[in-house]
Amino acid sequence: MTHKTARLIVWLSTAVSMVAVALIVTGWLLVGHNLGARTKVINSAAELETFLSAADAKGTVENSKSADIIRIPTGVFIQSASFKSSTDVNLIGFIWQYYPLDFPFERGFSFPEEIDSSFGFVETAYDKTIIYNGAPHQLIGSRFDVTVRQSFDYSSYPLDFLNIWLRIWPKDWTDHASIILVPDFQSYEAERRADFGLDGDLVQGEWDIVRTFFSYQNIRYDTNFGLSSRAKNTTYNEFYYNLAAERKFINAFIINLVPLLVVSLLLFSALMTISNDKEQARLFGYSASGILGTCSALFFVVLLSHIQVRGLFVDSGLVYIEYFYLVLYVMILLVALNGYLFSLTGDRRVALLHRNDNFLARVSYWPLLSWSLAGMTWWAL
């Protein structure tokens, strides 16, 4: 092979690898944000009226006619949000509600998804009688600290997008069918920010909260819990306050992808030391055992990093970043196999490896690695 031909193949290998990298980045940019088919986002009072009218026509507004339902305007303000585990989120903030003075049921709210209730609290911060929508109402504001357990989709990690929700029930659950919580849009700025209801000093950690919103979800129960006021097999529209958050990519990139990139470069460097040239082999200290030792060391580096990632998502399936580890495992095995086979100088079956001093393996490394990652990216995301 002439020097010119070799250079052309190297440039072609580089170009093919760059195309694969571009496809990977494109896949990252096209990752979708799914809130779930059952989630009905409510952004304004007009949307609320439209939704409740449509739901009432289907008989799904708390199993009652709209004329019989008492609406309780409810607002939420979050001061702190932190993950205790991959499934548990701690939220601290305020909830306020307006009740008609003749409200016939117990006032207050509850969190049906709360865990560790002994460590949380709900305490009244203020209780006043004010005029709301032209009529006197009792305004009750409560401070809360609650940890809720939710099932999140981490399959796109570290490009994941999570919808953290606070599911709120009326406290008088026996008369749940007669009460519906509705967003108190009047208590927020007329031109609400995308992330309204959040403390400006809220520490978001590894997440960026890009949006907050109220919503309803259709929840069907197959029992009436022994209560005649609740019907069996009825869909209820339950009230949620949501925080849509996306992971800070730069942090996850440095923590996860940079070490894998370094391992890939070291693995390629080991591959480049494989040579029939005695002077070059002596200079780089090439030997089959040396290549196997290097690959073994890199394998344990990748394995320990993989174990750390898997420990974060023990309750989840395979996440996106793990495909990078799986591809690297294969590449480490291939480089080790190449080092071993290259040492079999008298075997005609490996003559192709010896042609042009292992040139085929060298120019194939980056295209094989990058296109494997590109394929995994488009398949997983």
Side-chain angles (χ1 to χ4, degrees):
M1 181 185 299
T2 65
H3 182 66
K4 183 177 181 180
T5 302
R7 288 186 60 185
L8 179 61
I9 294 176
V10 169
W11 279 109
L12 180 61
S13 172
T14 303
V16 169
S17 301
M18 293 306 296
V19 170
V21 172
L23 285 175
I24 294 173
V25 175
T26 302
W28 292 351
L29 297 176
L30 295 178
V31 173
H33 295 165
N34 183 21
L35 297 177
R38 296 188 305 169
T39 301
K40 174 57 182 177
V41 179
I42 305 297
N43 291 316
S44 66
E47 288 186 11
L48 174 65
E49 295 301 328
T50 301
F51 168 71
L52 293 180
S53 297
D56 185 43
K58 298 177 182 177
T60 57
V61 180
E62 303 298 344
N63 196 37
S64 284
K65 295 297 182 182
S66 58
D68 302 325
I69 296 174
I70 301 175
R71 298 187 183 185
I72 304 301
T74 302
V76 181
F77 182 78
I78 300 297
Q79 294 176 298
S80 173
S82 61
F83 278 83
K84 289 191 169 183
S85 71
S86 61
T87 57
D88 299 345
V89 185
N90 178 254
L91 298 170
I92 300 175
F94 280 89
I95 290 180
W96 61 93
Q97 296 180 303
Y98 296 90
Y99 292 93
L101 297 184
D102 58 351
F103 185 70
F105 309 115
E106 183 179 3
R107 293 162 169 79
F109 56 87
S110 64
F111 305 111
E113 296 172 332
E114 179 179 11
I115 62 170
D116 296 334
S117 56
S118 58
F119 296 97
F121 64 83
V122 175
E123 58 184 21
T124 301
Y126 48 88
D127 186 341
K128 299 181 179 181
T129 300
I130 66 170
I131 302 300
Y132 183 82
N133 284 341
H137 282 71
Q138 181 183 9
L139 169 63
I140 301 178
S142 302
R143 191 168 187 270
F144 68 87
D145 181 337
V146 62
T147 298
V148 292
R149 176 159 293 169
Q150 301 170 3
S151 177
F152 297 113
D153 180 11
Y154 291 104
S155 60
S156 299
Y157 175 85
L159 304 167
D160 39 344
F161 173 88
L162 302 185
N163 181 32
I164 306 166
W165 64 82
L166 187 62
R167 184 178 176 188
I168 308 173
W169 279 358
K171 189 171 185 179
D172 193 338
W173 199 71
T174 59
D175 294 293
H176 195 183
S178 302
I179 307 167
I180 184 168
L181 306 183
V182 296
D184 176 31
F185 290 118
Q186 295 185 30
S187 296
Y188 299 98
E189 294 178 354
E191 296 294 330
R192 294 189 303 278
R193 305 188 314 270
D195 58 347
F196 71 93
L198 291 182
D199 193 319
D201 294 326
L202 184 145
V203 178
Q204 301 186 22
E206 62 181 321
W207 297 93
D208 278 326
I209 299 177
V210 296
R211 181 187 178 193
T212 58
F213 58 94
F214 291 103
S215 70
Y216 290 93
Q217 278 205 31
N218 297 327
I219 308 296
R220 178 176 291 275
Y221 298 99
D222 61 359
T223 177
N224 63 359
F225 302 95
L227 301 171
S228 58
S229 59
R230 299 179 68 102
K232 304 172 187 176
N233 296 319
T234 300
T235 298
Y236 289 83
N237 290 298
E238 299 198 350
F239 184 71
Y240 289 73
Y241 176 78
N242 306 264
L243 299 87
E246 60 183 7
R247 194 180 299 272
K248 294 178 180 177
F249 177 75
I250 188 64
N251 292 350
F253 179 84
I254 293 174
I255 293 172
N256 296 288
L257 298 183
V258 169
L260 295 182
L261 177 60
V262 172
V263 169
S264 299
L265 291 170
L266 291 175
L267 191 60
F268 180 67
S269 299
L271 180 64
M272 291 295 291
T273 64
I274 300 175
S275 175
N276 269 330
D277 188 309
K278 294 183 179 180
E279 181 62 25
Q280 183 174 333
R282 185 191 63 80
L283 180 63
F284 292 111
Y286 162 67
S287 66
S289 60
I291 290 295
L292 292 176
T294 299
C295 290
S296 297
L298 293 177
F299 169 75
F300 281 106
V301 170
V302 176
L303 179 62
L304 291 175
S305 180
H306 189 185
I307 291 174
Q308 184 177 13
V309 171
R310 181 94 299 262
L312 298 174
F313 310 108
V314 291
D315 297 325
S316 303
L318 206 63
V319 301
Y320 168 62
I321 191 64
E322 289 186 271
Y323 291 104
F324 283 61
Y325 291 100
L326 298 180
V327 169
L328 268 181
Y329 292 145
V330 174
M331 295 302 297
I332 290 172
L333 287 174
L334 290 177
V335 171
L337 182 62
N338 177 252
Y340 169 73
L341 294 178
F342 194 83
S343 65
L344 304 178
T345 55
D347 194 330
R348 294 182 179 180
R349 291 173 296 180
V350 295
L352 186 62
L353 293 178
H354 291 279
R355 185 176 300 172
N356 299 305
D357 205 19
N358 206 33
F359 182 75
L360 177 63
R362 294 177 181 179
V363 296
S364 300
Y365 177 85
W366 288 112
L368 181 59
L369 175 62
S370 58
W371 276 97
S372 296
L373 295 178
M376 289 295 186
T377 295
W378 282 88
W379 183 78
L381 299 180

